[in-house]
Amino acid sequence: MSIPSPIRPQVAQLLDLHPEVAAALLSGGPVVALESTIISHGMPYPQNVEMARGVEAVVREHGATPATIAVLGGRLKVGLTPNELELLATDKTVQKISTRDLPVTVALGGHGATTVASTMRIAALAGIRVFATGGTGGVHRGAHETMDISADLTELARTDVCVVSAGVKSILDIGLTLEVLETQGVPAITLGGTEFPAFYSRRSGFASPLTVHSEAEAARVLHAKWTLGLTGGVLLANPIPEEAEIPAEEMAPQIERALADMAALGLTGKATTPYLLGRIVEITGGRSLAANIALVRHNAAVAARVAVAYAALQR
Ligand code: PSU
Ligand code: MN
C-alpha cells in the first residue's frame, strides 16, 4: 500500500494504518482521530466499547473517516478493528500512556491506551489534523504543590492538531488551565459561546479567551494558524448539549466528594484522572456517564464538520 506523504518511512514501519484511513489520507479526505484512554480508563464496560463504536459512526454520518488511535503489541494503530476496540475496552493489561510512556510501550511491545497528548502525537505522525475527545487534561487543583499539570497541555503547545473537547472538568483548576494555554500560545476557542465550558456543564464561570461561531470558522482558524507557521495545537471547546447538561452547581458537591475520597486514598500522578472519572460515575449513580457519552458524540460531529471544512481549504 502507498504511504500518505506526511509519513516518514521510518515511522511508517512502526505504524499500522487502517486501509480505510490510509485511503482517506491519500486522497486528502477528512479524517478525525479519536483517543483510547477514554475507552480503557475513562468509562466502565460495556458502555465504553458501545461509546467507541457509536462515536465512529457519528464521524462517518458527518462525512469524515474515524481513526481511533492506540498502541497494540508496540505497534502504533491508527484506525482499529472491532476486535481491537473490544480488547481496549476489556483487557486489564492495557496501560494508560501519555507522551512520556510512548517510546517504552513501542520498544517493549506493550498495549497502551493513548491519552489526548499521545493521541495528538500519533495523529500528527499520520498526517491527521483534527481530533475529537471528551475532556482534555489540564492543571490539577493544588498544582502549586503537586506540579500535576497534564502533558495534554504540553502537547497542545507543540503538535499541530485541533482537539475538540467539551472543555475542562472542574476536577481541574479551569482558570489556571486557561492561563497555561495562553502562556503556551494555544488558542482556546469556544464554539458558539463566550463562556468556556466545564465538561458536564455549559458554564464554568470563566470567560472563553476566544470564540468562533461555526465549524467553517474554526477550520479557517486552523488554516491561518498553520499557514503563519504558528506551530502547535488548537483547543476547540464545544459545550455539552443543553438536554444532556448537569448544571455546575449540581456537579460541584459531587466533584468535591470525589476529590476528598481521592485525597483519603493518597492517589497521585497518572492514577488521579481515571480514579476521579470512575468515582464521579459512582457518586452520580451513572448520570455523569450518560452526560459524558452525549458530549463525546457531540464533539465527534463537530470535529467531523471541522475536518470536512479544513480538507476543502487544502484543495
Ligand atoms: N478528562 C476527561 N475524560 C478523560 C480524560 C480526561 O474528562 O477520559 C483522559 C484523557 O485521555 C486525557 C487524560 O488525555 O485523561 C489526561 O490524563 P492526565 O490528567 O493524567 O494527563
Ligand atoms: Mn498528571
Side-chain angles (χ1 to χ4, degrees), residues 230 267 276:
L230 296 170
L267 289 180
L276 289 168

Side-chain angles (χ1 to χ4, degrees), residues 139-149 173 176:
V139 180
H140 282 260
R141 295 203 206 170
H144 58 287
E145 283 180 358
T146 62
M147 296 286 281
D148 190 351
I149 301 175
D173 187 317
L176 290 188

Side-chain angles (χ1 to χ4, degrees), residues 10-312:
Q10 298 90 326
V11 172
Q13 287 177 14
L14 302 172
L15 195 69
D16 291 333
L17 275 187
H18 192 288
E20 192 193 355
V21 176
L25 290 172
L26 279 167
S27 68
V31 176
V32 173
L34 301 162
E35 61 146 313
S36 44
T37 290
I38 191 176
I39 305 173
S40 304
H41 302 278
M43 287 185 192
Y45 184 81
Q47 287 92 342
N48 57 358
V49 69
E50 285 159 13
M51 176 280 303
R53 284 194 292 257
V55 166
E56 290 193 352
V58 169
V59 170
R60 285 182 217 285
E61 281 157 27
H62 292 82
T65 300
T68 305
I69 290 178
V71 179
L72 294 175
R75 306 279 307 165
L76 307 180
K77 298 280 177 185
V78 177
L80 299 178
T81 65
N83 284 342
E84 289 168 338
L85 280 186
E86 187 73 25
L87 182 144
L88 284 166
T90 53
D91 189 317
K92 296 293 167 218
T93 70
V94 176
Q95 304 286 317
K96 170 185 166 189
I97 62 168
S98 192
T99 310
R100 69 148 190 217
D101 309 294
L102 194 50
V104 176
T105 308
V106 167
L108 305 189
H111 292 336
T114 48
T115 63
V116 168
S118 52
T119 304
M120 286 180 78
R121 258 314 164 92
I122 297 170
L125 288 172
I128 301 171
R129 297 295 194 132
V130 182
F131 165 16
T133 183
T136 36
V139 180
H140 282 260
R141 295 203 206 170
H144 58 287
E145 283 180 358
T146 62
M147 296 286 281
D148 190 351
I149 301 175
S150 176
D152 292 357
L153 299 183
T154 314
E155 215 51 56
L156 277 163
R158 64 180 167 206
T159 298
D160 298 3
V161 169
C162 171
V163 179
V164 181
S165 87
V168 173
K169 265 202 187 70
S170 53
I171 58 175
L172 303 173
D173 187 317
I174 298 177
L176 290 188
T177 300
L178 292 173
E179 290 295 344
V180 171
L181 288 168
E182 180 187 12
T183 302
Q184 298 295 333
V186 179
I189 309 175
T190 300
L191 176 62
T194 55
E195 188 165 335
F196 195 75
F199 197 80
Y200 303 115
S201 318
R202 293 175 61 82
R203 315 193 51 161
S204 67
F206 291 91
S208 181
L210 297 156
T211 298
V212 292
H213 297 97
S214 66
E215 288 89 343
E217 276 188 10
R220 278 166 33 213
V221 171
L222 303 183
H223 186 69
K225 183 175 200 282
W226 295 325
T227 301
L228 291 168
L230 296 170
T231 54
V234 168
L235 180 58
L236 183 62
N238 178 37
I240 184 172
E242 260 167 62
E243 63 278 10
E245 164 176 57
I246 310 178
E249 50 289 4
E250 273 176 61
M251 273 320 289
Q254 326 255 36
I255 285 172
E256 292 299 338
R257 201 175 136 198
L259 286 164
D261 292 347
M262 185 176 78
L265 289 172
L267 289 180
T268 56
K270 70 188 267 190
T272 57
T273 300
Y275 173 80
L276 289 168
L277 298 176
R279 188 72 189 114
I280 291 168
V281 172
E282 287 171 4
I283 291 172
T284 63
R287 187 167 169 219
S288 71
L289 182 58
N292 200 343
I293 293 168
L295 66 84
V296 178
R297 294 174 64 92
H298 191 215
N299 294 343
V302 165
R305 287 193 283 255
V306 172
V308 167
Y310 183 73

